[in-house]
Amino acid sequence: MTETTPSKLCDTPRNAVGRVGVLDISARLFREQGYGAVSLRKIAGAAGIKAASIYYHFGSKDEIVVAVLDRGIRVVHDSMRQAVSALPENTGAEAILRTAIQAHLRALLDLSDYTSANVRIFGQVPQPVRDANLPLRRAYEAEWDALLTRLRDDGALKRDVDIRRLRLMLIGALNATLDWFDPDRGSADALSRSYADVFLNGILQRQDT
Amino acid sequence: MTETTPSKLCDTPRNAVGRVGVLDISARLFREQGYGAVSLRKIAGAAGIKAASIYYHFGSKDEIVVAVLDRGIRVVHDSMRQAVSALPENTGAEAILRTAIQAHLRALLDLSDYTSANVRIFGQVPQPVRDANLPLRRAYEAEWDALLTRLRDDGALKRDVDIRRLRLMLIGALNATLDWFDPDRGSADALSRSYADVFLNGILQRQDT
DNA sequence: GCAAATATCTAACAACTGTTAGGTGGCTGG
DNA sequence: CCAGCCACCTAACAGTTGTTAGATATTTGC
């Protein structure tokens, strides 16, 4: 959740909040309250500093938001790629998809305020900010498209699926969990199993057994 | 899309915007730009009146938002209920589910700025406003739960599905289309067919034929 | 021990927000 | 023809927003 740039082992002023602290707090507040409800003074207050001090670390509010959004994508992208590439060579299509889904939901619901903040506020943010975040988003989407295309070409998925549409459906469905997921009612991993079950096999009772 | 209260057949001043006009414009702006980006002056400007004039029709901004949110749910609820209840008595489970999904997506993507505004801004709005909209939301969710429970008890769905979770997955997935759906790239009805296909049967290629 | 850098502070700005008070013109019922 | 209501107007308010300028304490490198 932290991942400080380890430039030097000792940050200079002893009790300083610093750029990373401001960013962490911003991500948490954006995730909890949305974009419009979080002012610079709110961020500063939660960090124990004054609003103007933020301008020592960032040139504008938008710069903070872009930094939060970008890292949100990086976290979930790394999480998904690493989980999939850690699988054994001969892993089946179903297990690959289940792993990717699990990694995405873990990053969104357990791992990172940045990823959840991204999903929550992306649609609320001014367009220049959205545009700045788009390249990283596109790269993550391309990773999913590549994975799904590979599975389809291996014959694991129905031949006629539209990859782009399937990816939009899948990620959209997973991201929507952020609106209602409650860690007290169930784990992210259990939830990811449910989603994999539905997407892989559907909900209809079958008469083939 | 309109549904004016038909109190009297002739609204008095000829070129008046009126309560309904303000509401229609608010819904459209909220759908297009989100909650935080739409001020009273923006609404008034789009309506061709001044901000203070809005207070003739509404007591506060929140009152407008609640009115928009409530009607958004009413539209999609009526649309779904009416579509399902118009089906012949002996309609199968699969066709019922497909119809409900289609009605929901139609209301969201084709029919109503109110429904799309609701889905877009519900998560951005202050909590008292959310709370005011909750009863109608709950009623719509209960309608879905009843439908899904009936299908499961008829043996059409897998016996072990959690109804509440399935409903959250389904409606969440459908609502997420609002972020990317482009009417120029495909119809809402075609999209609803894709969603029904995936939810009913999954995406895995089967070896049973 | 001193200069420099780091991370914060105070004070203020213009713009914008939702909201209120009170005034105005036109249509309608009697 | 006129009282009254409907739907709007102008003007202004207090509070909040992102942002800037300049001062200040603390730590570090030499």
mmCIF file of all heavy atoms in Angstrom, chain B residues 39-41 52 55 60-61, chain C residues 17-21 27-28:
data_model
loop_
_atom_site.group_PDB
_atom_site.id
_atom_site.type_symbol
_atom_site.label_atom_id
_atom_site.label_comp_id
_atom_site.label_asym_id
_atom_site.label_seq_id
_atom_site.Cartn_x
_atom_site.Cartn_y
_atom_site.Cartn_z
ATOM 1 N N SER B 39 -23.675 23.261 -11.525
ATOM 2 C CA SER B 39 -24.148 24.221 -10.532
ATOM 3 C C SER B 39 -25.551 24.702 -10.896
ATOM 4 O O SER B 39 -26.030 24.488 -12.008
ATOM 5 C CB SER B 39 -23.201 25.416 -10.482
ATOM 6 O OG SER B 39 -23.200 26.097 -11.721
ATOM 7 N N LEU B 40 -26.182 25.374 -9.940
ATOM 8 C CA LEU B 40 -27.506 25.920 -10.219
ATOM 9 C C LEU B 40 -27.449 26.922 -11.361
ATOM 10 O O LEU B 40 -28.375 27.007 -12.173
ATOM 11 C CB LEU B 40 -28.065 26.591 -8.956
ATOM 12 C CG LEU B 40 -28.548 25.624 -7.881
ATOM 13 C CD1 LEU B 40 -29.085 26.372 -6.690
ATOM 14 C CD2 LEU B 40 -29.613 24.702 -8.446
ATOM 15 N N ARG B 41 -26.370 27.692 -11.429
ATOM 16 C CA ARG B 41 -26.255 28.670 -12.508
ATOM 17 C C ARG B 41 -26.118 27.997 -13.866
ATOM 18 O O ARG B 41 -26.556 28.505 -14.884
ATOM 19 C CB ARG B 41 -25.077 29.605 -12.235
ATOM 20 C CG ARG B 41 -25.385 30.657 -11.166
ATOM 21 C CD ARG B 41 -24.117 31.382 -10.704
ATOM 22 N NE ARG B 41 -24.423 32.457 -9.741
ATOM 23 C CZ ARG B 41 -24.593 32.256 -8.446
ATOM 24 N NH1 ARG B 41 -24.491 31.037 -7.963
ATOM 25 N NH2 ARG B 41 -24.860 33.261 -7.641
ATOM 26 N N ALA B 52 -31.555 32.312 -9.489
ATOM 27 C CA ALA B 52 -32.488 32.541 -8.378
ATOM 28 C C ALA B 52 -33.903 32.105 -8.723
ATOM 29 O O ALA B 52 -34.687 31.752 -7.839
ATOM 30 C CB ALA B 52 -32.470 34.014 -7.989
ATOM 31 N N TYR B 55 -35.505 28.835 -7.476
ATOM 32 C CA TYR B 55 -36.076 28.715 -6.132
ATOM 33 C C TYR B 55 -37.573 28.976 -6.114
ATOM 34 O O TYR B 55 -38.204 28.835 -5.080
ATOM 35 C CB TYR B 55 -35.336 29.629 -5.150
ATOM 36 C CG TYR B 55 -34.003 29.043 -4.763
ATOM 37 C CD1 TYR B 55 -32.897 29.186 -5.583
ATOM 38 C CD2 TYR B 55 -33.883 28.296 -3.604
ATOM 39 C CE1 TYR B 55 -31.684 28.621 -5.241
ATOM 40 C CE2 TYR B 55 -32.679 27.730 -3.251
ATOM 41 C CZ TYR B 55 -31.582 27.900 -4.073
ATOM 42 O OH TYR B 55 -30.386 27.325 -3.738
ATOM 43 N N SER B 60 -34.404 23.853 -2.749
ATOM 44 C CA SER B 60 -32.953 23.748 -2.642
ATOM 45 C C SER B 60 -32.413 22.927 -3.809
ATOM 46 O O SER B 60 -33.178 22.296 -4.548
ATOM 47 C CB SER B 60 -32.551 23.082 -1.331
ATOM 48 O OG SER B 60 -32.928 21.722 -1.347
ATOM 49 N N LYS B 61 -31.106 22.955 -3.955
ATOM 50 C CA LYS B 61 -30.496 22.120 -4.990
ATOM 51 C C LYS B 61 -30.740 20.640 -4.703
ATOM 52 O O LYS B 61 -31.050 19.863 -5.614
ATOM 53 C CB LYS B 61 -28.987 22.395 -5.064
ATOM 54 C CG LYS B 61 -28.328 21.702 -6.241
ATOM 55 C CD LYS B 61 -26.810 21.795 -6.207
ATOM 56 C CE LYS B 61 -26.201 21.168 -7.461
ATOM 57 N NZ LYS B 61 -24.733 21.053 -7.371
ATOM 58 P P DT C 17 -20.233 27.886 -10.045
ATOM 59 O OP1 DT C 17 -20.230 26.637 -10.835
ATOM 60 O OP2 DT C 17 -20.921 29.095 -10.548
ATOM 61 O "O5'" DT C 17 -20.797 27.563 -8.600
ATOM 62 C "C5'" DT C 17 -20.142 26.579 -7.773
ATOM 63 C "C4'" DT C 17 -20.707 26.627 -6.376
ATOM 64 O "O4'" DT C 17 -20.223 27.817 -5.715
ATOM 65 C "C3'" DT C 17 -22.222 26.768 -6.325
ATOM 66 O "O3'" DT C 17 -22.811 25.488 -6.375
ATOM 67 C "C2'" DT C 17 -22.422 27.420 -4.947
ATOM 68 C "C1'" DT C 17 -21.146 28.230 -4.724
ATOM 69 N N1 DT C 17 -21.268 29.715 -4.826
ATOM 70 C C2 DT C 17 -21.508 30.460 -3.711
ATOM 71 O O2 DT C 17 -21.670 29.967 -2.610
ATOM 72 N N3 DT C 17 -21.567 31.819 -3.922
ATOM 73 C C4 DT C 17 -21.407 32.491 -5.125
ATOM 74 O O4 DT C 17 -21.480 33.716 -5.201
ATOM 75 C C5 DT C 17 -21.161 31.644 -6.259
ATOM 76 C C7 DT C 17 -20.965 32.269 -7.608
ATOM 77 C C6 DT C 17 -21.104 30.316 -6.059
ATOM 78 P P DG C 18 -24.389 25.363 -6.693
ATOM 79 O OP1 DG C 18 -24.644 23.943 -7.031
ATOM 80 O OP2 DG C 18 -24.706 26.425 -7.672
ATOM 81 O "O5'" DG C 18 -25.113 25.705 -5.324
ATOM 82 C "C5'" DG C 18 -24.870 24.897 -4.177
ATOM 83 C "C4'" DG C 18 -25.504 25.539 -2.941
ATOM 84 O "O4'" DG C 18 -25.004 26.885 -2.804
ATOM 85 C "C3'" DG C 18 -27.030 25.649 -3.002
ATOM 86 O "O3'" DG C 18 -27.572 25.375 -1.710
ATOM 87 C "C2'" DG C 18 -27.255 27.101 -3.421
ATOM 88 C "C1'" DG C 18 -26.071 27.809 -2.790
ATOM 89 N N9 DG C 18 -25.655 29.014 -3.529
ATOM 90 C C8 DG C 18 -25.392 29.106 -4.872
ATOM 91 N N7 DG C 18 -25.052 30.312 -5.258
ATOM 92 C C5 DG C 18 -25.089 31.062 -4.096
ATOM 93 C C6 DG C 18 -24.816 32.450 -3.889
ATOM 94 O O6 DG C 18 -24.475 33.303 -4.708
ATOM 95 N N1 DG C 18 -24.978 32.812 -2.546
ATOM 96 C C2 DG C 18 -25.346 31.940 -1.542
ATOM 97 N N2 DG C 18 -25.457 32.463 -0.320
ATOM 98 N N3 DG C 18 -25.602 30.642 -1.722
ATOM 99 C C4 DG C 18 -25.455 30.283 -3.023
ATOM 100 P P DT C 19 -29.159 25.391 -1.485
ATOM 101 O OP1 DT C 19 -29.495 24.607 -0.272
ATOM 102 O OP2 DT C 19 -29.813 25.070 -2.763
ATOM 103 O "O5'" DT C 19 -29.425 26.920 -1.135
ATOM 104 C "C5'" DT C 19 -28.715 27.509 -0.039
ATOM 105 C "C4'" DT C 19 -29.117 28.962 0.141
ATOM 106 O "O4'" DT C 19 -28.483 29.772 -0.876
ATOM 107 C "C3'" DT C 19 -30.627 29.239 0.013
ATOM 108 O "O3'" DT C 19 -31.127 29.606 1.305
ATOM 109 C "C2'" DT C 19 -30.727 30.378 -1.009
ATOM 110 C "C1'" DT C 19 -29.295 30.893 -1.089
ATOM 111 N N1 DT C 19 -28.923 31.480 -2.410
ATOM 112 C C2 DT C 19 -28.552 32.804 -2.468
ATOM 113 O O2 DT C 19 -28.511 33.532 -1.492
ATOM 114 N N3 DT C 19 -28.228 33.268 -3.730
ATOM 115 C C4 DT C 19 -28.240 32.544 -4.906
ATOM 116 O O4 DT C 19 -27.925 33.073 -5.970
ATOM 117 C C5 DT C 19 -28.644 31.172 -4.777
ATOM 118 C C7 DT C 19 -28.697 30.306 -5.996
ATOM 119 C C6 DT C 19 -28.964 30.699 -3.543
ATOM 120 P P DT C 20 -32.683 29.899 1.543
ATOM 121 O OP1 DT C 20 -33.027 29.441 2.899
ATOM 122 O OP2 DT C 20 -33.446 29.415 0.385
ATOM 123 O "O5'" DT C 20 -32.732 31.490 1.536
ATOM 124 C "C5'" DT C 20 -31.890 32.229 2.423
ATOM 125 C "C4'" DT C 20 -32.098 33.720 2.200
ATOM 126 O "O4'" DT C 20 -31.503 34.109 0.941
ATOM 127 C "C3'" DT C 20 -33.567 34.154 2.131
ATOM 128 O "O3'" DT C 20 -33.781 35.183 3.100
ATOM 129 C "C2'" DT C 20 -33.755 34.645 0.695
ATOM 130 C "C1'" DT C 20 -32.346 35.031 0.284
ATOM 131 N N1 DT C 20 -32.057 34.903 -1.183
ATOM 132 C C2 DT C 20 -31.552 35.977 -1.860
ATOM 133 O O2 DT C 20 -31.308 37.047 -1.335
ATOM 134 N N3 DT C 20 -31.331 35.748 -3.197
ATOM 135 C C4 DT C 20 -31.568 34.583 -3.899
ATOM 136 O O4 DT C 20 -31.328 34.504 -5.097
ATOM 137 C C5 DT C 20 -32.103 33.503 -3.110
ATOM 138 C C7 DT C 20 -32.404 32.206 -3.775
ATOM 139 C C6 DT C 20 -32.328 33.702 -1.802
ATOM 140 P P DA C 21 -35.243 35.718 3.508
ATOM 141 O OP1 DA C 21 -35.255 35.935 4.968
ATOM 142 O OP2 DA C 21 -36.247 34.845 2.877
ATOM 143 O "O5'" DA C 21 -35.275 37.131 2.766
ATOM 144 C "C5'" DA C 21 -34.093 37.932 2.716
ATOM 145 C "C4'" DA C 21 -34.385 39.238 1.977
ATOM 146 O "O4'" DA C 21 -33.977 39.077 0.592
ATOM 147 C "C3'" DA C 21 -35.857 39.631 1.957
ATOM 148 O "O3'" DA C 21 -35.968 41.033 2.213
ATOM 149 C "C2'" DA C 21 -36.328 39.257 0.556
ATOM 150 C "C1'" DA C 21 -35.051 39.402 -0.268
ATOM 151 N N9 DA C 21 -34.988 38.484 -1.409
ATOM 152 C C8 DA C 21 -35.378 37.171 -1.442
ATOM 153 N N7 DA C 21 -35.189 36.589 -2.603
ATOM 154 C C5 DA C 21 -34.637 37.595 -3.391
ATOM 155 C C6 DA C 21 -34.202 37.621 -4.728
ATOM 156 N N6 DA C 21 -34.274 36.565 -5.535
ATOM 157 N N1 DA C 21 -33.695 38.784 -5.205
ATOM 158 C C2 DA C 21 -33.638 39.837 -4.394
ATOM 159 N N3 DA C 21 -34.014 39.936 -3.112
ATOM 160 C C4 DA C 21 -34.505 38.769 -2.668
ATOM 161 P P DC C 27 -49.028 37.664 -22.202
ATOM 162 O OP1 DC C 27 -48.137 36.917 -23.108
ATOM 163 O OP2 DC C 27 -49.706 38.911 -22.652
ATOM 164 O "O5'" DC C 27 -50.170 36.676 -21.680
ATOM 165 C "C5'" DC C 27 -49.821 35.480 -21.023
ATOM 166 C "C4'" DC C 27 -50.762 35.218 -19.861
ATOM 167 O "O4'" DC C 27 -50.679 36.309 -18.921
ATOM 168 C "C3'" DC C 27 -52.254 35.109 -20.236
ATOM 169 O "O3'" DC C 27 -52.650 33.751 -20.068
ATOM 170 C "C2'" DC C 27 -52.977 36.058 -19.270
ATOM 171 C "C1'" DC C 27 -51.909 36.368 -18.220
ATOM 172 N N1 DC C 27 -51.980 37.734 -17.608
ATOM 173 C C2 DC C 27 -52.395 37.865 -16.275
ATOM 174 O O2 DC C 27 -52.726 36.854 -15.622
ATOM 175 N N3 DC C 27 -52.445 39.104 -15.708
ATOM 176 C C4 DC C 27 -52.089 40.176 -16.425
ATOM 177 N N4 DC C 27 -52.136 41.380 -15.828
ATOM 178 C C5 DC C 27 -51.662 40.072 -17.786
ATOM 179 C C6 DC C 27 -51.626 38.839 -18.334
ATOM 180 P P DT C 28 -54.128 33.262 -20.510
ATOM 181 O OP1 DT C 28 -54.052 31.802 -20.798
ATOM 182 O OP2 DT C 28 -54.650 34.223 -21.507
ATOM 183 O "O5'" DT C 28 -54.955 33.449 -19.150
ATOM 184 C "C5'" DT C 28 -54.471 32.854 -17.944
ATOM 185 C "C4'" DT C 28 -55.450 33.123 -16.811
ATOM 186 O "O4'" DT C 28 -55.246 34.451 -16.290
ATOM 187 C "C3'" DT C 28 -56.922 33.035 -17.223
ATOM 188 O "O3'" DT C 28 -57.631 32.298 -16.238
ATOM 189 C "C2'" DT C 28 -57.380 34.493 -17.265
ATOM 190 C "C1'" DT C 28 -56.501 35.113 -16.173
ATOM 191 N N1 DT C 28 -56.243 36.579 -16.328
ATOM 192 C C2 DT C 28 -56.346 37.413 -15.217
ATOM 193 O O2 DT C 28 -56.638 37.011 -14.118
ATOM 194 N N3 DT C 28 -56.077 38.729 -15.472
ATOM 195 C C4 DT C 28 -55.731 39.309 -16.690
ATOM 196 O O4 DT C 28 -55.512 40.505 -16.785
ATOM 197 C C5 DT C 28 -55.648 38.397 -17.799
ATOM 198 C C7 DT C 28 -55.287 38.909 -19.161
ATOM 199 C C6 DT C 28 -55.907 37.080 -17.575
#
